[in-house]
mmCIF file of all heavy atoms in Angstrom:
data_model
loop_
_atom_site.group_PDB
_atom_site.id
_atom_site.type_symbol
_atom_site.label_atom_id
_atom_site.label_comp_id
_atom_site.label_asym_id
_atom_site.label_seq_id
_atom_site.Cartn_x
_atom_site.Cartn_y
_atom_site.Cartn_z
ATOM 1 N N ILE R 214 13.553 16.197 -29.887
ATOM 2 C CA ILE R 214 14.507 15.139 -30.217
ATOM 3 C C ILE R 214 15.067 15.422 -31.600
ATOM 4 O O ILE R 214 14.322 15.573 -32.558
ATOM 5 C CB ILE R 214 13.840 13.751 -30.200
ATOM 6 C CG1 ILE R 214 13.311 13.422 -28.797
ATOM 7 C CG2 ILE R 214 14.825 12.674 -30.654
ATOM 8 C CD1 ILE R 214 12.526 12.119 -28.736
ATOM 9 N N ARG R 215 16.377 15.487 -31.701
ATOM 10 C CA ARG R 215 17.020 15.736 -32.984
ATOM 11 C C ARG R 215 17.014 14.443 -33.809
ATOM 12 O O ARG R 215 17.169 13.344 -33.273
ATOM 13 C CB ARG R 215 18.460 16.193 -32.772
ATOM 14 C CG ARG R 215 19.167 16.654 -34.037
ATOM 15 C CD ARG R 215 20.577 17.107 -33.699
ATOM 16 N NE ARG R 215 21.265 17.595 -34.880
ATOM 17 C CZ ARG R 215 22.546 17.964 -34.898
ATOM 18 N NH1 ARG R 215 23.257 17.907 -33.774
ATOM 19 N NH2 ARG R 215 23.106 18.393 -36.012
ATOM 20 N N VAL R 216 16.846 14.565 -35.121
ATOM 21 C CA VAL R 216 16.828 13.403 -36.012
ATOM 22 C C VAL R 216 18.001 13.518 -36.987
ATOM 23 O O VAL R 216 18.181 14.539 -37.634
ATOM 24 C CB VAL R 216 15.506 13.300 -36.795
ATOM 25 C CG1 VAL R 216 15.503 12.062 -37.676
ATOM 26 C CG2 VAL R 216 14.323 13.269 -35.849
ATOM 27 N N GLN R 217 18.791 12.437 -37.061
ATOM 28 C CA GLN R 217 19.895 12.387 -38.013
ATOM 29 C C GLN R 217 19.902 11.046 -38.730
ATOM 30 O O GLN R 217 19.439 10.039 -38.188
ATOM 31 C CB GLN R 217 21.245 12.597 -37.298
ATOM 32 C CG GLN R 217 21.462 14.018 -36.807
ATOM 33 C CD GLN R 217 22.877 14.233 -36.300
ATOM 34 O OE1 GLN R 217 23.337 13.546 -35.403
ATOM 35 N NE2 GLN R 217 23.575 15.194 -36.881
ATOM 36 N N LYS R 218 20.424 11.048 -39.946
ATOM 37 C CA LYS R 218 20.559 9.818 -40.723
ATOM 38 C C LYS R 218 22.022 9.394 -40.727
ATOM 39 O O LYS R 218 22.923 10.233 -40.711
ATOM 40 C CB LYS R 218 20.084 10.026 -42.166
ATOM 41 C CG LYS R 218 18.598 10.244 -42.304
ATOM 42 C CD LYS R 218 18.192 10.397 -43.760
ATOM 43 C CE LYS R 218 18.294 9.093 -44.516
ATOM 44 N NZ LYS R 218 17.773 9.208 -45.900
ATOM 45 N N VAL R 219 22.234 8.087 -40.753
ATOM 46 C CA VAL R 219 23.597 7.567 -40.802
ATOM 47 C C VAL R 219 23.924 7.188 -42.240
ATOM 48 O O VAL R 219 23.061 6.754 -43.002
ATOM 49 C CB VAL R 219 23.762 6.353 -39.855
ATOM 50 C CG1 VAL R 219 22.942 5.170 -40.350
ATOM 51 C CG2 VAL R 219 25.216 5.969 -39.709
ATOM 52 N N LEU R 220 25.171 7.397 -42.616
ATOM 53 C CA LEU R 220 25.599 7.013 -43.957
ATOM 54 C C LEU R 220 25.499 5.500 -44.116
ATOM 55 O O LEU R 220 25.546 4.762 -43.132
ATOM 56 C CB LEU R 220 27.052 7.453 -44.186
ATOM 57 C CG LEU R 220 27.316 8.959 -44.224
ATOM 58 C CD1 LEU R 220 28.805 9.215 -44.404
ATOM 59 C CD2 LEU R 220 26.539 9.628 -45.338
ATOM 60 N N PRO R 221 25.358 4.991 -45.353
ATOM 61 C CA PRO R 221 25.334 3.534 -45.546
ATOM 62 C C PRO R 221 26.540 2.862 -44.903
ATOM 63 O O PRO R 221 27.665 3.377 -44.962
ATOM 64 C CB PRO R 221 25.367 3.398 -47.080
ATOM 65 C CG PRO R 221 24.745 4.651 -47.580
ATOM 66 C CD PRO R 221 25.166 5.719 -46.615
ATOM 67 N N VAL R 222 26.301 1.705 -44.287
ATOM 68 C CA VAL R 222 27.338 1.018 -43.503
ATOM 69 C C VAL R 222 28.583 0.739 -44.335
ATOM 70 O O VAL R 222 29.709 0.882 -43.847
ATOM 71 C CB VAL R 222 26.776 -0.302 -42.923
ATOM 72 C CG1 VAL R 222 27.880 -1.118 -42.259
ATOM 73 C CG2 VAL R 222 25.679 0.001 -41.913
ATOM 74 N N ASP R 223 28.404 0.357 -45.606
ATOM 75 C CA ASP R 223 29.567 -0.011 -46.414
ATOM 76 C C ASP R 223 30.509 1.157 -46.677
ATOM 77 O O ASP R 223 31.638 0.953 -47.127
ATOM 78 C CB ASP R 223 29.118 -0.630 -47.746
ATOM 79 C CG ASP R 223 28.224 0.308 -48.548
ATOM 80 O OD1 ASP R 223 27.909 1.405 -48.056
ATOM 81 O OD2 ASP R 223 27.827 -0.059 -49.677
ATOM 82 N N LYS R 224 30.066 2.385 -46.380
ATOM 83 C CA LYS R 224 30.914 3.555 -46.605
ATOM 84 C C LYS R 224 31.804 3.882 -45.413
ATOM 85 O O LYS R 224 32.716 4.701 -45.528
ATOM 86 C CB LYS R 224 30.055 4.769 -46.966
ATOM 87 C CG LYS R 224 29.356 4.616 -48.306
ATOM 88 C CD LYS R 224 28.713 5.904 -48.752
ATOM 89 C CE LYS R 224 28.096 5.744 -50.143
ATOM 90 N NZ LYS R 224 27.426 6.968 -50.609
ATOM 91 N N TRP R 225 31.545 3.270 -44.247
ATOM 92 C CA TRP R 225 32.375 3.586 -43.082
ATOM 93 C C TRP R 225 32.834 2.360 -42.309
ATOM 94 O O TRP R 225 33.646 2.483 -41.388
ATOM 95 C CB TRP R 225 31.632 4.517 -42.133
ATOM 96 C CG TRP R 225 30.300 4.027 -41.641
ATOM 97 C CD1 TRP R 225 29.088 4.303 -42.167
ATOM 98 C CD2 TRP R 225 30.049 3.162 -40.515
ATOM 99 N NE1 TRP R 225 28.081 3.688 -41.464
ATOM 100 C CE2 TRP R 225 28.643 2.986 -40.434
ATOM 101 C CE3 TRP R 225 30.853 2.555 -39.568
ATOM 102 C CZ2 TRP R 225 28.052 2.206 -39.454
ATOM 103 C CZ3 TRP R 225 30.257 1.767 -38.586
ATOM 104 C CH2 TRP R 225 28.869 1.608 -38.531
ATOM 105 N N ILE R 226 32.373 1.164 -42.690
ATOM 106 C CA ILE R 226 32.692 -0.037 -41.917
ATOM 107 C C ILE R 226 34.195 -0.303 -41.880
ATOM 108 O O ILE R 226 34.731 -0.791 -40.885
ATOM 109 C CB ILE R 226 31.927 -1.263 -42.487
ATOM 110 C CG1 ILE R 226 32.042 -2.450 -41.542
ATOM 111 C CG2 ILE R 226 32.444 -1.615 -43.871
ATOM 112 C CD1 ILE R 226 31.366 -2.278 -40.243
ATOM 113 N N ASN R 227 34.919 0.031 -42.958
ATOM 114 C CA ASN R 227 36.355 -0.249 -43.007
ATOM 115 C C ASN R 227 37.182 0.807 -42.285
ATOM 116 O O ASN R 227 38.290 0.522 -41.821
ATOM 117 C CB ASN R 227 36.827 -0.346 -44.461
ATOM 118 C CG ASN R 227 36.234 -1.549 -45.170
ATOM 119 O OD1 ASN R 227 36.027 -2.593 -44.561
ATOM 120 N ND2 ASN R 227 35.941 -1.405 -46.454
ATOM 121 N N THR R 228 36.668 2.007 -42.178
ATOM 122 C CA THR R 228 37.419 3.091 -41.531
ATOM 123 C C THR R 228 37.039 3.274 -40.074
ATOM 124 O O THR R 228 37.741 3.963 -39.336
ATOM 125 C CB THR R 228 37.181 4.420 -42.276
ATOM 126 O OG1 THR R 228 35.774 4.710 -42.289
ATOM 127 C CG2 THR R 228 37.684 4.321 -43.707
ATOM 128 N N GLY R 229 35.936 2.684 -39.643
ATOM 129 C CA GLY R 229 35.513 2.835 -38.256
ATOM 130 C C GLY R 229 34.524 3.975 -38.100
ATOM 131 O O GLY R 229 34.327 4.804 -38.985
ATOM 132 N N TRP R 230 33.909 4.010 -36.935
ATOM 133 C CA TRP R 230 32.856 4.978 -36.670
ATOM 134 C C TRP R 230 33.422 6.317 -36.204
ATOM 135 O O TRP R 230 34.408 6.381 -35.474
ATOM 136 C CB TRP R 230 31.902 4.444 -35.599
ATOM 137 C CG TRP R 230 30.831 5.431 -35.237
ATOM 138 C CD1 TRP R 230 30.868 6.358 -34.238
ATOM 139 C CD2 TRP R 230 29.594 5.616 -35.909
ATOM 140 N NE1 TRP R 230 29.726 7.108 -34.242
ATOM 141 C CE2 TRP R 230 28.918 6.680 -35.260
ATOM 142 C CE3 TRP R 230 28.979 4.994 -36.984
ATOM 143 C CZ2 TRP R 230 27.670 7.116 -35.652
ATOM 144 C CZ3 TRP R 230 27.742 5.436 -37.370
ATOM 145 C CH2 TRP R 230 27.099 6.475 -36.706
ATOM 146 N N ASN R 231 32.789 7.391 -36.641
ATOM 147 C CA ASN R 231 33.004 8.714 -36.046
ATOM 148 C C ASN R 231 31.752 9.545 -36.301
ATOM 149 O O ASN R 231 30.871 9.142 -37.046
ATOM 150 C CB ASN R 231 34.267 9.405 -36.602
ATOM 151 C CG ASN R 231 34.190 9.627 -38.100
ATOM 152 O OD1 ASN R 231 33.319 10.349 -38.587
ATOM 153 N ND2 ASN R 231 35.082 8.988 -38.846
#
Side-chain angles (χ1 to χ4, degrees):
I214 298 175
R215 188 179 182 185
V216 182
Q217 289 189 303
K218 291 182 71 174
V219 67
L220 294 178
V222 173
D223 58 357
K224 294 190 176 179
W225 56 265
I226 191 67
N227 293 326
T228 58
W230 177 268
N231 61 62

